[in-house]
Structures are given as structure tokens and as C-alpha cells.
Amino acid sequence: MELKLTRPICFFDLETTGVNVAKDRIVEIAILKIFPNGNKESKTWLVNPEMVIPDEVIAVHGITNEKVANEPTFKELSKEIYKIIKDSDLGGFNSDRFDIPLLAEELLRAGIDFDMKNTVSVDVQTIFHKMEKRTLEAAYKFYCDKDLLDAHSAAADTNATYEVLLSQLDRYPDLENNIKKLSEFSRRKESVDFAGFIAMDEEGEEVFSFGKHKGKKVHAVLENEPGYFGWMLNADFPLYTKKILTQIKLSKLNNKLS
């Protein structure tokens, strides 16, 4: 089974300093780019996170502070990474909830205006959990009948994720070999920002999905409580959430002026 592609898709995996999307940083990134003609290219980088990697995190992925001390920072790598992914859809394992949001933060922090308006994503973990409910190692054994060596190595996890998706397509005849359809199937919920602070309601309008304004339309809250916008911009929300919030505010303002 090969993926039916109309544009490239980049499977990628991150090893990081932790799991806080707004605060933590990338220490390793691997990208496997699949082209519509079947060609593949892959690249892996170690990254200096410019912060201390906690011992409990080192115990998971084995990447020490000494190992990345002389590696380039993400900002130094950002243009090369963006050049690879900018024309592609994205795929990963738990990527919708973690890898894509964190990658977006790093790119925005590096001054690259990254968004997903013309990009779809396929979260192989969601497909797996909907079909079998297991971990990546178990998925690799279940679908590919292989043991995942070097688990929590970005390159090994990335290649395993790609192989699992191919095997999922072989195993489930009703799983359509179409990236947009796979994206729709693997999507957990309809959120506007990656972190899930802003969602879409049944009317197709942005609403807050947290806090005292949960379920309320974003534009109404910003209009009735102007200080809430400033609070969110200054609080510890992901950069991409702040970007989306600003876009909504400017969109409503432009509508009023036009």
C-alpha cells in the first residue's frame, strides 16, 4: 500500500525539554517527506534548546544537555525546516495535540509566520486509538509485526509512524487512502488554534473553550470585555493561540470599518 498524494506530506517527530507547548523547546526533530511520485527524503537535527533539559526528560529520550550544547538553535535551523514543510501536509503520532502546536510555537518564536490554513494533518495516533487503542510501540508490533528499536529516538519514531499508517491502510478497507479524509478521521475536535483554547461552534463561529467565557463567541467577548484580549496576550498562552485571537479581533474590526 502506498499513500495516494496530491501534494507532499511530512511525517515528523519531536523530542523536547518537556510537554508544555508554550514553554518547552525542541531538542531533536526528524522529518520524513513523502512526495506524490513516491520519492522520500528525510532529515534529522539535534537542537540546542537554550534551556536546561530536566533529568526526568533525559531519562525518557536520552538526549543530554552536553549532547546538544554545541548544536544549532531552532532559530538557526528554522528557515531550513520551514522550507521542507511549507508545501506539505503534516503527519505524526499525537501530532495534533503536541508536535504541531510545539513546532508552530518554535517557528513563530523564530519569526516565521506559520499557520495551517492551507494544510491538513493526519494524526496516526488518533486513527490507531479509534481502531485499536494502543501505544506507538504496540501499534508498530500490531500493524507491522516489528519491535520498535530505539523508541523515543525521533528518527525511529518518525519512520515507525509512517509504516504504521501504511499498514493501517492495508488493514482497514473503509479507511480511505486520501490525506484530507485521513485528516478528518484523525481529528479529535474542531479547534481553531492548535492548543484547543478556541473552537468552532455549530454555527461555524469561533468560541472560547476554557475558563469563565467557555462556549461564548470570541468576538462578543472581545467587544464586551476589551481587557480580556490584553490579558490573553500577556498571559502564558501559546503564540499561535494569540495569533488566532488577534486575527479574529482584526477581522471583526475590519468588518466594522468596511
Side-chain angles (χ1 to χ4, degrees), residues 89-202:
D89 294 319
L90 298 176
F93 199 86
N94 194 33
S95 50
D96 282 355
R97 291 197 299 179
F98 181 71
D99 297 83
I100 292 176
L102 202 148
L103 178 63
E105 289 298 293
E106 290 277 37
L107 287 168
L108 290 170
R109 200 178 289 119
I112 293 175
D113 189 23
F114 174 80
D115 66 44
M116 294 281 289
K117 285 181 180 177
N118 300 311
T119 302
V120 299
S121 63
V122 177
D123 193 328
V124 174
Q125 186 194 62
T126 304
I127 296 174
F128 182 36
H129 285 179
K130 284 186 175 183
M131 295 296 191
E132 304 294 346
K133 304 188 187 305
R134 294 285 197 279
T135 62
L136 176 57
E137 288 88 344
Y140 197 51
K141 183 67 175 178
F142 180 85
Y143 288 110
C144 305
D145 196 25
K146 299 178 183 177
D147 293 318
L148 179 53
L149 305 176
D150 298 324
H152 298 297
S153 155
D157 288 358
T158 296
N159 282 286
T161 298
Y162 170 59
E163 289 184 43
V164 166
L165 179 57
L166 295 182
S167 294
Q168 286 173 333
L169 289 168
D170 279 328
R171 180 176 288 268
Y172 307 115
D174 56 339
L175 198 60
E176 191 170 342
N177 191 346
N178 176 285
I179 293 300
K180 287 188 177 180
K181 295 294 184 182
L182 290 170
S183 174
E184 291 169 4
F185 186 82
S186 65
R187 190 179 300 130
R188 284 184 172 85
K189 62 180 180 179
E190 192 68 26
S191 61
V192 181
D193 65 329
F194 295 128
F197 291 107
I198 302 172
M200 298 291 285
D201 65 12
E202 293 179 353

Side-chain angles (χ1 to χ4, degrees), residues 62-104:
I63 300 172
T64 63
N65 292 287
E66 294 74 20
K67 190 172 183 179
V68 296
N70 297 316
E71 298 295 334
T73 65
F74 186 87
K75 186 170 184 177
E76 292 170 330
L77 294 168
S78 59
K79 289 182 179 178
E80 183 180 1
I81 291 170
Y82 184 62
K83 184 178 179 181
I84 293 174
I85 68 171
K86 67 179 181 179
D87 65 339
S88 305
D89 294 319
L90 298 176
F93 199 86
N94 194 33
S95 50
D96 282 355
R97 291 197 299 179
F98 181 71
D99 297 83
I100 292 176
L102 202 148
L103 178 63

